[in-house]
């Protein structure tokens, strides 16, 4: 019997469209001999849809039409089974799934939100768990954890918007001690949204005003000069990790903008997702530095307790040869398949390995004790005749 894989994508995030591209790529690459693929699309309206037509990219050019032909559903558990139930009209089960492949990017989905829901209903899923996913989204938490494990990050500070409003002077003083130029970032966004570079106090005030529009938590970090950006993907779990070849990414702009990342260069041929960014693969680094980054990537993966495939992005000062971990993506654009293809692992095989890791993790988790079969409240009669005193 084929394993029924529900591919969940979309969601209320700035990276909604990118997620659609990544998911369609994955659905086209999953082995149809082994898997029954069930697309589950979360619209920006937070409604969930399914239907065969959701496997094709063309349908997403007209979302109203798509919604007309797709079925509005909910995913829940019914005993040991995971069912997709039609939401409108007669509520009936229209499909079953065994496992979820989340292909979502960004806030309200990738950040542990979706993983939390999947944990709640108890369905096995591919990739990092909710703890790891949420740390993956919060650039401040991530830096704090990496720093405490003595892994290299840029000099930084952070604050809440309210702290800035109440004590602007103090915040600016602390930023000054990091040293200009700095990057100002909303702590929990992605795709370079709300990020700017500031060379002095006037610019930093402007940059903070911009970042505050998107998040209440703001990160300010030292700019890495003579910048080379490289990314490395890691596949595995807490026991075993494998690092991919490195890519060198190039931004036409001062830094990688949303357009560079997801829209590629070619507006005419349409978006190809992360697989079309301007890149050099493998990165032009000597073998010593390449290996150093691969080893570092495995450590980062483990420290963050990641699982499945993640991508770790680095900033390198090519003069001083210093390496800094910039950020991690627990569900990277295009699931980093192009990095694995360059590592002699075809996409189909990568997806197989990711699914196998998820099944292994699920079985392992099932063996741990989470709750007790007996209901400890069954002997509880403390409220009767005791005026609310607990009698256990
Ligand atoms: N400390 C830094 N020094 C130099 N450039 C940076 C620094 N931080 C970020 N950038 C540039 O900004 C881009 C986006 O920042 P990043 O933290 O990766 O945000 P996002 O989550 O939006 O991808 C990076 O790819 C890089 O080009
Ligand atoms: Mg980035």
């Amino acid at each position: 019997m084929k394993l029924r894989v529900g591919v969940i994508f979309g969601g209320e995030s700035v990276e909604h469209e990118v997620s659609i591209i990544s998911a369609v790529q994955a659905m086209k690459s999953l082995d149809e001999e082994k898997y029954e693929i069930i697309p589950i699309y979360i619209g920006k309206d937070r409604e969930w849809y399914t239907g065969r037509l959701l496997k094709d990219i063309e349908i997403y050019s007209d979302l109203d039409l798509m919604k007309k032909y797709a079925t509005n559903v909910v995913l829940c558990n019914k005993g040991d089974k995971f069912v997709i139930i039609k939401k409108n009209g007669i509520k009936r089960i229209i499909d079953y799934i065994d496992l979820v492949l989340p292909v979502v990017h960004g806030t309200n989905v990738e950040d542990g939100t979706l993983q939390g829901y999947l944990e709640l209903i108890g369905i096995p899923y591919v990739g990092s768990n909710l703890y790891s996913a949420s740390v993956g989204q919060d650039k401040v938490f991530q830096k704090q954890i990496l720093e405490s494990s003595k892994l290299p990050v840029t000099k930084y500070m952070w604050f809440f918007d309210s702290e800035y409003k109440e004590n602007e002077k103090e915040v600016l003083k602390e930023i000054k001690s990091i040293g200009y130029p700095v990057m100002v970032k909303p702590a929990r966004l992605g795709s370079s949204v709300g990020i700017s570079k500031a060379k002095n106090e006037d610019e930093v005030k402007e940059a903070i005003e911009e970042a505050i529009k998107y998040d209440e938590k703001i990160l300010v970090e030292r700019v890495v000069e003579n910048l080379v950006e490289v990314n490395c993907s890691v596949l595995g779990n807490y026991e075993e990790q494998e690092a991919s070849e490195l890519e060198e990414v190039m931004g036409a702009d001062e830094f990688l903008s949303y357009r560079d990342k997801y829209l590629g260069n070619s507006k005419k041929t349409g978006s190809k997702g992360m697989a079309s960014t301007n890149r050099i693969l493998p990165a032009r680094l000597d073998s010593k530095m390449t290996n150093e980054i691969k080893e570092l990537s495995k450590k980062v993966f483990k420290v963050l307790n990641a699982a499945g495939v993640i991508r770790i992005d680095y900033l390198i000062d090519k003069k001083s040869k210093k390496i800094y971990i910039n950020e991690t993506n627990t569900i990277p654009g295009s699931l980093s398949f192009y990095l694995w293809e360059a590592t002699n692992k075809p996409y189909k095989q990568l997806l197989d390995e990711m699914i196998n890791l998820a099944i292994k993790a699920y079985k392992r988790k099932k063996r741990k004790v989470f709750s007790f079969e007996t209901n400890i409240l069954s002997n509880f009669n403390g409220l009767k005749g005791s005026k609310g005193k607990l009698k256990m």
Side-chain angles (χ1 to χ4, degrees):
M1 226 170 59
K2 289 188 191 176
L3 189 78
R4 304 184 67 78
V5 178
V7 178
I8 302 187
F9 55 103
E12 201 196 5
S13 144
V14 291
E15 291 161 282
H16 182 92
E17 286 75 14
V18 191
S19 156
I20 295 173
I21 297 165
S22 292
V24 169
Q25 285 169 342
M27 288 192 280
K28 299 250 179 271
S29 306
L30 277 160
D31 190 344
E32 294 205 47
E33 304 262 299
K34 289 185 191 155
Y35 311 113
E36 196 65 54
I37 302 153
I38 298 110
I40 303 170
Y41 166 66
I42 309 175
K44 284 186 183 166
D45 56 1
R46 300 176 185 211
E47 294 289 339
W48 297 38
Y49 299 90
T50 193
R52 289 194 67 80
L53 77 171
L54 296 177
K55 288 183 189 171
D56 295 314
I57 195 78
E58 288 78 26
I59 193 73
Y60 299 95
S61 56
D62 186 343
L63 291 178
D64 290 333
L65 192 71
M66 183 278 293
K67 286 177 185 174
K68 219 169 124 189
Y69 290 104
T71 313
N72 191 195
V73 293
V74 288
L75 169 68
C76 57
N77 67 306
K78 203 167 187 328
D80 285 345
K81 296 241 183 315
F82 304 103
V83 295
I84 297 178
I85 297 175
K86 191 164 169 280
K87 200 174 170 188
N88 302 322
I90 298 166
K91 293 170 184 53
R92 58 187 176 85
I93 295 173
I94 57 163
D95 227 326
Y96 289 88
I97 56 176
D98 300 313
L99 171 140
V100 168
L101 171 63
V103 193
V104 287
H105 303 311
T107 34
N108 304 320
V109 267
E110 181 188 359
D111 55 3
T113 311
L114 177 60
Q115 292 83 350
Y117 181 66
L118 300 174
E119 294 275 355
L120 192 63
I121 65 170
I123 192 165
Y125 59 94
V126 171
S128 297
N129 64 26
L130 79 156
Y131 303 103
S132 186
S134 55
V135 171
Q137 189 69 32
D138 188 314
K139 293 185 162 89
V140 175
F141 282 157
Q142 214 175 96
K143 276 200 170 34
Q144 289 169 332
I145 290 175
L146 295 174
E147 200 178 27
S148 72
S149 300
K150 311 229 169 343
L151 297 172
V153 294
T154 52
K155 213 169 165 193
Y156 73 97
M157 59 82 71
W158 69 277
F159 54 90
F160 287 118
D161 55 2
S162 54
E163 291 170 320
Y164 180 67
K165 279 178 192 137
E166 279 158 28
N167 204 343
E168 186 183 309
K169 257 194 178 156
E170 200 51 46
V171 171
L172 291 173
K173 204 172 131 195
E174 214 186 313
I175 293 175
K176 201 173 168 192
S177 73
I178 289 180
Y180 288 104
V182 293
M183 297 296 291
V184 180
K185 306 177 180 182
R188 296 163 295 199
L189 243 72
S191 297
S192 304
V193 174
I195 296 186
S196 30
K197 190 174 179 173
K199 297 186 194 78
N200 52 47
E201 196 164 292
D202 283 341
E203 284 183 16
V204 97
K205 283 186 194 167
E206 239 175 82
I208 292 170
E209 289 308 328
E210 178 64 16
I212 278 177
K213 283 186 202 159
Y214 299 98
D215 202 341
E216 61 207 23
K217 193 175 181 184
I218 308 298
L219 167 70
V220 178
E221 63 178 84
R222 182 69 195 244
V223 162
V224 175
E225 311 276 5
N226 315 303
L227 184 66
V228 176
E229 292 189 63
V230 302
N231 302 337
C232 178
S233 177
V234 178
L235 167 70
N237 57 20
Y238 66 87
E239 293 169 318
E240 284 175 284
Q241 306 88 34
E242 185 184 345
S244 77
E245 283 304 326
L246 309 188
E247 64 174 330
E248 188 175 332
V249 287
M250 331 261 271
D253 212 337
E254 267 205 297
F255 55 90
L256 272 179
S257 68
Y258 187 83
R259 176 164 294 284
D260 291 327
K261 257 189 206 164
Y262 296 121
L263 308 180
N265 292 337
S266 149
K267 276 188 236 163
K268 283 192 205 105
T269 52
S271 183
K272 299 272 189 317
M274 197 59 199
S276 75
T277 307
N278 264 339
R279 65 165 52 79
I280 299 173
L281 212 176
R284 298 165 300 177
L285 301 177
D286 60 31
S287 61
K288 185 170 168 274
M289 197 180 253
T290 302
N291 286 333
E292 193 181 331
I293 290 175
K294 284 184 187 178
E295 288 310 308
L296 189 53
S297 300
K298 291 194 247 177
K299 277 189 202 150
V300 172
F301 186 96
K302 207 168 154 184
V303 162
L304 297 178
N305 194 185
V309 150
I310 75 164
R311 199 190 73 228
I312 302 156
D313 298 353
Y314 293 89
L315 306 170
I316 303 172
D317 182 331
K318 65 174 174 259
K319 266 199 189 145
S320 69
K321 294 209 179 334
K322 277 204 132 178
I323 301 166
Y324 302 92
I325 302 151
N326 179 34
E327 59 157 349
T328 63
N329 297 277
T330 49
I331 306 183
S334 301
L335 299 181
S336 288
F337 78 84
Y338 52 92
L339 289 174
W340 290 100
E341 280 183 346
T343 318
N344 292 324
K345 203 187 280 292
Y347 199 10
K348 202 189 252 188
Q349 185 188 338
L350 176 70
L351 289 164
D352 274 355
E353 289 184 28
M354 290 168 73
I355 289 171
N356 286 336
L357 283 165
I359 294 170
K360 216 169 136 186
Y362 184 70
K363 285 185 179 160
R364 201 168 42 217
K365 194 176 154 188
K366 278 263 177 195
R367 289 198 294 269
K368 301 272 181 204
V369 179
F370 284 104
S371 63
F372 301 100
E373 291 300 322
T374 49
N375 180 3
I376 54 167
L377 296 182
S378 62
N379 294 326
F380 178 71
N381 57 3
L383 294 182
K384 245 188 246 159
S386 66
K387 296 203 171 119
K389 268 195 202 143
L390 294 183
K391 246 200 290 173
M392 296 292 278

